[in-house]
């Protein structure tokens, strides 16, 4: 809502709520005074709902990097307009947000009986590592539950809400739903498809180079952009690179921010060429490291890698790693997200198979030049601009002197020379997007 805009318009009978969505109400009353009072009360009510759900969202974010493959969830308990308890899902296997909020309520010496709770995701109603949250809410005597998103998990989806209502608890849904849905785009994708959510990330100069022609690449972007990358590494379950990146840069692929969590490192290495003295292998006993290869590999090299703590995944019978099979296997291992950092061959392979959901392109205000200088994408490329991959829901931001362009993939490309399929965002209905499993690259 603009700063000078009033929250309601008495002529049109509409008013606006400063939240992620615009709420419009039309009412009729016997007098202008009654009309105005009704609008004020309604505005105040919806604004309060937004306020407490926004606090729940702030809490949910604090679980980033620690709860995978579970969703990020925050909860706030309110009585008489004041917060008497709050919590979030802190660690995988630990208490859920609702139970943490109830625990905080008791710690404060407050009673949740007759109170309202704001929770970003529908309360669970099944036994997992924790008992159902619906049981806890019913036992605590909550009066009303405000829900942001419905849980797409078939074990829950609508059932948690139905159980609460059957016990006389009022349930209001879709409070700041867009913001709550965005909070769990990774979880929603994973629970619906069984595949990890894939973010393709690269840093390049203004002329599209990710390194100089001699291979030098440190650093293309500045400190703020690099910190943002490490914050993303902290949130994502895993990070993936191809063997050429390992041979060229010898990266550690760790998260270098205070209190950060190292992602699982995944290397696509069809022939197990990764050196035993590489930083990844040397630290594999401390940081989980997976190397995907093909059947045609050295048994002796595999044994040496396993002795140093590496996990070996054989994906594909030919001379190239089958990325589609690899991502399926990663999903089975409950790895719900992959930060795809390079290189150009691996990036193109993932794109051409329809595996990439989102792109982060960091752009530095530098010109590098050089015919031989590499670009972010390899492969055969598209034959016409109209066949290009497109981003939707684009967002452009600045990180120091660099730019970050991010967006969701819309048009999947099938293979060299083939037409792309109909336009579709991969974060909205990923289970329906087509993928061409015939194209593989040597990675």
């Amino acid at each position: 809502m603009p700063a000078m805009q009033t929250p309601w318009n008495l002529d049109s009978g509409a008013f606006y709520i400063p939240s992620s969505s615009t709420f419009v109400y039309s009412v009729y009353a016997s007098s202008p005074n009654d009309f105005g009072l009704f609008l004020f009360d309604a505005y105040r009510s919806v604004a309060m709902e937004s306020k407490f759900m926004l606090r729940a969202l702030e809490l949910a974010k604090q679980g980033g990097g620690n709860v995978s493959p579970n969703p990020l969830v925050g909860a706030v308990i309110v009585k008489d307009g004041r917060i008497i308890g709050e919590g979030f899902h802190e660690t995988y296997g630990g208490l859920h947000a609702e139970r943490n909020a109830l625990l905080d309520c008791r710690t404060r010496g407050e009673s949740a009986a007759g109170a309202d709770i704001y929770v970003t995701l529908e309360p669970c109603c099944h036994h997992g590592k924790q008992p159902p949250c619906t049981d806890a809410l019913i036992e605590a005597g909550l009066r009303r539950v405000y829900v942001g998103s419905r849980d797409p998990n078939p074990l829950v989806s609508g059932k948690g809400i139905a159980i609460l209502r059957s016990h006389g608890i009022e349930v209001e849904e879709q409070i700041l739903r867009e913001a709550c849905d965005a909070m769990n785009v990774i979880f929603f994708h994973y629970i619906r498809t069984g595949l990890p959510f894939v973010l393709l990330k690269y840093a390049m100069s203004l002329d599209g180079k990710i390194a100089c022609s001699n291979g030098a690449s440190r650093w293309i972007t500045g400190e703020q952009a690099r910190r943002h990358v490490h914050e993303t590494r902290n949130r994502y379950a895993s990070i993936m690179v191809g063997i050429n990146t390992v041979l060229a840069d010898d990266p550690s692929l760790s998260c270098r921010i205070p209190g950060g969590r190292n992602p699982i490192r995944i290397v696509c290495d069809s022939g197990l060429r990764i050196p035993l003295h590489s930083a990844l292998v040397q630290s594999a006993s401390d940081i989980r490291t997976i190397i995907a290869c093909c059947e045609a590999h050295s048994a002796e090299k595999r044994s040496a890698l396993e002795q140093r703590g590496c996990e070996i995944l054989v994906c594909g019978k030919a001379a190239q790693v089958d990325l589609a099979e690899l991502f399926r296997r990663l999903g089975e291992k409950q790895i719900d997200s992959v930060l795809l950092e390079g290189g150009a061959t691996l990036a193109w392979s993932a794109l051409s198979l329809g595996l990439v959901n989102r792109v982060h392109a960091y752009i530095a205000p530098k010109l590098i030049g050089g015919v031989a200088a590499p670009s972010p994408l390899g492969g055969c490329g598209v034959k016409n601009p109209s066949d290009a991959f497109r981003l939707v829901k684009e967002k452009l931001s600045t990180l120091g002197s660099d730019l970050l362009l991010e967006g969701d993939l819309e048009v999947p490309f099938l293979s060299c020379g083939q037409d792309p399929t109909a336009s579709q965002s991969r974060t909205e209905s990923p289970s329906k997007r087509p993928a061409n499993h015939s194209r593989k690259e040597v990675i």
Side-chain angles (χ1 to χ4, degrees):
M1 182 175 66
M4 298 302 294
Q5 181 179 343
T6 58
W8 57 79
N9 185 317
L10 291 178
D11 293 327
S12 64
F15 69 99
Y16 305 90
I17 304 301
S19 66
S20 63
S21 302
T22 300
F23 297 79
V24 181
Y25 288 78
S26 296
V27 297
Y28 300 91
S30 58
S31 70
N33 287 338
D34 291 341
F35 179 67
L37 288 173
F38 178 89
L39 283 174
F40 178 77
D41 287 342
Y43 170 78
R44 181 174 60 183
S45 174
V46 177
M48 290 292 281
E49 292 174 7
S50 299
K51 170 186 173 182
F52 294 127
M53 189 60 79
L54 283 171
R55 174 56 184 162
L57 283 165
E58 291 175 357
L59 292 165
K61 289 179 183 178
Q62 297 181 43
N66 297 313
V67 302
S68 169
N70 281 354
L72 298 169
V73 187
V76 174
I77 300 175
V78 178
K79 181 182 282 188
D80 299 327
R82 63 186 182 89
I83 295 176
I84 62 171
E86 58 183 28
F88 63 97
H89 186 31
E90 300 176 11
T91 59
Y92 177 68
L95 291 177
H96 290 184
E98 299 92 327
R99 290 183 179 271
N100 270 328
L102 289 169
L103 178 60
D104 182 47
C105 193
R106 292 191 294 272
T107 301
R108 299 185 190 202
E110 300 279 0
S111 171
D116 301 336
I117 186 169
Y118 293 78
V119 60
T120 56
L121 186 69
E122 177 182 3
C124 68
C125 56
H126 66 288
H127 285 270
K129 292 185 178 297
Q130 292 289 330
C133 289
T134 49
D135 290 354
L137 299 181
I138 294 167
E139 292 168 4
L142 271 295
R143 179 174 67 99
R144 184 183 294 114
V145 177
Y146 292 92
V147 175
S149 303
R150 278 210 179 193
D151 191 337
N153 187 337
L155 296 174
V156 182
S157 189
K159 300 181 180 70
I161 290 172
I163 289 173
L164 293 173
R165 284 175 172 158
S166 70
H167 284 80
I169 297 176
E170 298 179 39
V171 180
E172 297 288 340
E173 297 186 66
Q174 301 189 34
I175 309 300
L176 299 189
R177 177 182 172 181
E178 287 184 14
C180 292
D181 285 354
M183 172 74 66
N184 279 307
V185 62
I186 289 175
F187 172 73
F188 286 3
H189 172 82
Y190 176 67
I191 204 69
R192 287 168 175 156
T193 68
L195 298 173
F197 183 93
V198 180
L199 169 63
L200 171 61
K201 166 264 171 187
Y202 53 85
M204 67 180 186
S205 62
L206 195 58
D207 56 338
K209 308 297 185 181
I210 60 173
C212 299
S213 56
N214 64 0
S217 61
R218 297 183 180 176
W219 296 102
I220 299 292
T221 53
E223 184 177 344
Q224 289 189 36
R226 297 200 301 273
R227 179 178 175 83
H228 188 272
V229 170
H230 284 279
E231 291 171 348
T232 304
R233 288 183 180 183
N234 180 59
R235 292 195 306 272
Y236 273 63
S238 68
I239 182 171
M240 179 182 290
V241 297
I243 183 57
N244 290 333
T245 297
V246 175
L247 296 176
D249 300 335
D250 192 23
S252 64
L253 304 180
S254 59
C255 175
R256 296 189 290 275
I257 58 174
R261 176 201 56 84
N262 290 318
I264 300 167
R265 289 99 54 93
I266 304 169
V267 180
C268 292
D269 180 7
S270 57
L272 291 185
R273 291 186 290 154
I274 187 169
L276 296 179
H277 63 265
S278 65
L280 292 173
V281 175
Q282 290 296 310
S283 58
S285 59
D286 299 318
I287 306 173
R288 187 178 177 188
T289 303
I290 298 173
I291 301 177
C293 66
C294 302
E295 285 188 355
H297 64 266
S298 165
E300 182 179 352
K301 182 68 172 289
R302 173 174 181 166
S303 176
L305 290 169
E306 289 176 333
Q307 287 176 12
R308 288 163 173 79
C310 297
E311 298 177 39
I312 307 299
L313 278 184
V314 178
C315 299
K317 297 181 179 180
Q320 300 87 30
V321 171
D322 185 334
L323 281 183
E325 180 182 350
L326 172 58
F327 278 75
R328 179 184 60 79
R329 299 271 296 277
L330 294 177
E332 291 173 352
K333 289 179 174 292
Q334 295 193 319
I335 296 175
D336 66 355
S337 53
V338 173
L339 175 58
L340 189 60
E341 287 212 4
T345 299
L346 177 60
W348 176 257
S349 296
L351 277 170
S352 63
L353 288 170
L355 296 170
V356 177
N357 301 96
R358 181 167 290 171
V359 173
H360 277 188
Y362 298 85
I363 307 169
K366 301 175 181 178
L367 299 172
I368 291 178
V371 175
S375 64
L377 295 179
C380 59
V382 300
K383 295 188 178 299
N384 295 288
S386 60
D387 296 338
F389 292 91
R390 297 186 183 92
L391 297 184
V392 296
K393 301 179 183 178
E394 310 94 331
K395 177 184 176 184
L396 186 65
S397 54
T398 57
L399 297 168
S401 61
D402 303 311
L403 296 176
L404 170 60
L405 176 61
E406 53 189 304
D408 298 334
L409 261 295
E410 182 185 43
V411 179
F413 182 71
L414 293 180
S415 66
C416 295
Q418 291 184 312
D419 292 330
T421 63
S423 173
Q424 177 175 295
S425 172
R426 300 182 192 182
T427 60
E428 292 176 354
S429 185
S431 62
K432 297 180 181 179
R433 70 176 188 273
N436 170 36
H437 296 281
S438 63
R439 175 165 181 79
K440 304 185 182 78
E441 301 250 354
V442 178
I443 48 180

